[in-house]
């Protein structure tokens, strides 16, 4: 593999992974420019939107190399974000060679083995403590904790079917709300609204929302509006799920 | 006492969201502290003012802390900021809005929706305000190496 090809592989790969794990556009752009400059390209054109990376690198008069990457799905992973960040810092400060940097990048891209029970527990604990913040009492918190566990277990179980986001979050809303209504009828929780809000909070698209705002603040308007639309769509799906569940149980009006 | 328990809940909840977003375990304590401090600011301001002002103040404190700590801990700002901002999401307002719109009480639904929109607008404005501060205010000063 030629030198320029390797630089391109590293630059485009880092950009792709950064977007995938939840970085804002300006960071991706900055990191890619730094890496390309450090390995001495003579010309570079980089364009990034929230689901694609376009790079053209030049070295000398003749050699040119172009890469287009489509990034259809985002899976938030802040550990990967930290590791890519320190990789780019080390490339500049410790002067890593191209092969060393590529080897370390492949290692980061591979990721770590994830323990699903850890996430299920976190979803439960998060739902329970947020239910308390919304003003629920001890019984409501335990109800929300239970529903948070069940909700994430459901998400983990259906992950391999690759359901569309819309369907997934509507089903999640239905599941959490019907579970809460069930718990209320059994007398295990006292306040329906705090319990429901607590149990659906693990689904709230916080990363898309915050990144959307940051992109707009950096005047990356296209990526920002796409991300805010994404967050809004997910929120509407959750709300629709809640309404469907209320109707199924014959609660709430006509 | 109530505030103490709520702050503890915000601390634990923020760390739980940190785990969901796969934040490295070395940053859990920082995330939790930022979430807890944000909630204290929110609760104290809410007692003396409106929800929108409280959301704005809390967001400014959270994002400012996240930017400072991100430099100290050498991690991207998102790692600390995104979990930390969750406790001030206007959850109950959102629920009331959806519920009232669903049962056909459009008037209260819309008025609650506007209240939620104000709170979210305040959060957005807070994030944008802190990110418009120039980067060099947060950069660490380069260490001065003594030369002989």
């Amino acid at each position: 593999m030629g030198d320029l090809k390797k630089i391109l592989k590293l630059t485009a790969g880092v950009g792709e992974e950064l977007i995938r794990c939840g970085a804002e556009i300006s960071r991706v752009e900055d990191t890619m420019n730094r890496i390309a400059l450090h390995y001495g390209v003579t010309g570079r054109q980089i364009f990034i939107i929230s689901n694609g990376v376009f790079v053209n690198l030049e070295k000398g008069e003749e050699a040119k190399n172009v890469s287009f990457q489509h990034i259809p799905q985002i899976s938030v992973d802040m550990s990967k974000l930290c590791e890519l960040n320190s990789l780019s810092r080390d490339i500049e400060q410790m002067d890593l060679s191209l092969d060393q940097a590529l080897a370390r990048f492949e290692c980061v891209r591979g990721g770590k083995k994830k323990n699903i029970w850890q996430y299920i527990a976190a979803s439960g604990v998060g739902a329970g403590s947020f239910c308390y913040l919304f003003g629920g009492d001890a019984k409501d918190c335990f109800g929300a904790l239970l529903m948070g566990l069940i909700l994430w277990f459901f998400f983990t179980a259906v992950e391999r079917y690759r359901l569309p986001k819309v369907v997934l979050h509507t089903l999640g809303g239905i599941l959490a709300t019907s579970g809460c209504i069930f718990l209320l009828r059994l007398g295990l929780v006292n306040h329906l609204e705090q319990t429901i809000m607590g149990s659906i909070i693990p689904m709230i698209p916080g990363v898309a929302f915050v990144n959307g705002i940051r992109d707009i603040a950096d005047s990356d308007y296209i990526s920002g509006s796409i991300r805010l639309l994404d967050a809004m769509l997910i929120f509407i799906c959750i709300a629709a799920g809640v309404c469907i569940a209320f109707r199924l149980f014959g609660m709430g009006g006509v | 006492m109530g505030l103490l328990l709520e702050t503890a809940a915000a601390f634990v909840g923020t760390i739980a969201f940190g785990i969901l977003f796969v934040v490295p375990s070395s940053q859990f304590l920082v995330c939790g502290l930022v979430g807890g401090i944000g909630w204290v600011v929110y609760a104290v301001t809410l007692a003396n003012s409106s929800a929108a002002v409280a959301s704005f103040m809390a967001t400014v404190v959270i994002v400012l802390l996240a930017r400072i700590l991100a430099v100290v801990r050498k991690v991207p700002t998102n790692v600390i900021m995104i979990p930390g901002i969750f406790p001030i999401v206007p959850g109950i307002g959102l629920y009331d809005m959806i519920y009232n719109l669903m049962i056909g009480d459009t008037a209260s639904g819309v008025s609650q929706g506007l209240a939620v929109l104000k709170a979210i607008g305040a959060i957005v404005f807070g994030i944008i305000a802190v990110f418009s501060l120039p980067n060099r205010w947060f950069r660490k000063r380069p260490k001065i190496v003594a030369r002989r």
Side-chain angles (χ1 to χ4, degrees):
Chain A
M1 215 176 352
D3 218 24
L4 186 60
K5 251 198 170 132
K6 280 186 190 166
I7 301 175
L8 183 76
K9 195 183 167 200
L10 182 66
T11 314
V14 167
E16 188 192 337
E17 282 300 313
L18 273 175
I19 291 187
R20 188 165 288 153
C21 63
E24 70 278 10
I25 301 295
S26 62
R27 171 181 303 280
V28 183
E29 218 162 48
D30 185 59
T31 311
M32 289 172 74
N33 274 321
R34 277 163 191 271
I35 293 176
L37 269 181
H38 182 81
Y39 290 118
V41 298
T42 48
R44 61 189 198 287
Q45 287 83 38
I46 294 173
F47 179 70
I48 298 148
I49 53 171
S50 64
N51 60 352
V53 175
F54 310 84
V55 201
N56 174 31
L57 297 180
E58 294 165 27
K59 201 166 188 180
E61 284 296 307
E62 295 298 318
K64 274 190 181 182
N65 236 319
V66 189
S67 158
F68 300 131
Q69 299 271 2
H70 178 225
I71 302 153
Q73 207 160 27
I74 283 177
S75 67
V76 180
D77 187 337
M78 295 286 162
S79 292
K80 217 180 240 180
L81 181 57
C82 289
E83 280 167 38
L84 289 169
N85 191 47
S86 64
L87 170 64
S88 120
R89 191 183 312 118
D90 287 352
I91 286 176
E92 283 198 326
Q93 291 179 353
M94 286 161 55
D95 210 10
L96 292 182
S97 79
L98 196 50
D99 288 316
Q100 275 175 320
L102 261 176
R104 212 173 119 186
F105 168 65
E106 288 302 334
C107 185
V108 172
R109 198 220 283 265
K112 293 183 192 111
K113 183 101 179 68
K114 288 177 182 171
N115 179 4
I116 53 164
W117 296 106
Q118 184 189 335
Y119 299 113
I120 294 176
S123 165
V125 173
S129 37
F130 275 84
C131 176
Y132 186 76
L133 282 187
F134 293 140
D137 59 19
K139 270 167 97 179
D140 302 338
C141 291
F142 277 111
L145 192 144
L146 185 66
M147 289 321 298
L149 295 176
I150 294 175
L151 187 68
W152 213 261
F153 184 76
F154 165 75
F155 275 152
T156 318
V158 299
E159 202 179 5
R160 61 202 161 99
Y161 300 115
R162 297 194 173 276
L163 292 177
K165 250 191 296 200
V166 175
V167 177
L168 200 62
H169 287 88
T170 314
L171 286 178
I174 295 176
L175 178 71
T177 311
S178 14
C180 291
I181 294 175
F182 190 62
L183 288 177
L184 182 78
R185 296 211 168 147
L186 285 178
L188 290 174
V189 300
N190 297 328
H191 307 95
L192 195 55
E193 59 176 299
Q194 278 86 355
T195 318
I196 291 180
M197 202 55 221
S199 17
I200 63 179
I201 200 122
M203 289 191 285
I204 296 279
V207 178
F209 178 71
V210 173
N211 272 336
I213 297 168
R214 286 194 69 174
D215 288 343
I216 286 183
D218 292 331
S219 34
D220 287 316
Y221 294 112
I222 294 182
S223 306
S225 8
I226 292 172
R227 281 177 166 162
L228 285 183
L229 261 181
D230 186 39
M232 194 118 108
L233 180 72
I234 290 178
F235 178 72
I236 291 174
C237 290
I238 300 172
V242 173
C243 296
I244 293 172
F246 268 119
R247 286 293 153 88
L248 282 178
F249 282 85
M251 291 177 77
V254 195
Chain B
M1 189 58 200
L3 182 64
L4 204 67
L5 265 176
E6 282 171 7
T7 311
F11 179 83
V12 175
T14 309
I15 295 179
F17 272 94
I19 298 174
L20 280 186
F21 295 145
V22 209
V23 168
S25 51
S26 51
Q27 315 296 337
F28 282 171
L29 195 64
V30 178
C31 285
L33 281 177
V34 170
I37 294 172
W39 178 261
V40 172
V41 174
Y42 179 78
V44 170
T45 322
L46 189 64
N48 302 305
S49 179
S50 70
V53 177
S55 303
F56 176 73
M57 294 300 284
T59 310
V60 166
V61 170
I62 290 166
V63 182
L64 207 57
L65 276 177
R67 276 194 84 172
I68 296 169
L69 288 169
V71 175
V72 177
R73 312 277 300 184
K74 290 188 177 171
V75 292
T77 317
N78 271 2
V79 173
I80 300 171
M81 177 176 72
I82 293 180
I85 223 156
F86 260 87
I88 54 171
V89 170
I92 286 302
L94 282 171
Y95 177 89
D96 287 343
M97 176 187 81
I98 300 167
Y99 186 79
N100 281 319
L101 287 178
M102 180 189 71
I103 63 172
D105 188 353
T106 315
S108 0
V110 169
S111 85
Q112 260 139 5
L114 280 179
V116 169
L117 213 59
K118 258 163 78 179
I120 292 182
I123 295 175
V124 170
F125 188 62
I127 295 177
I128 292 181
V130 179
F131 274 108
S132 351
L133 300 178
N135 233 337
R136 62 191 148 82
W137 291 8
F138 295 91
R139 210 174 291 152
K140 261 194 201 161
R141 300 250 160 78
K143 279 191 190 130
I144 299 164
V145 185
R147 279 189 200 154
R148 310 205 157 184

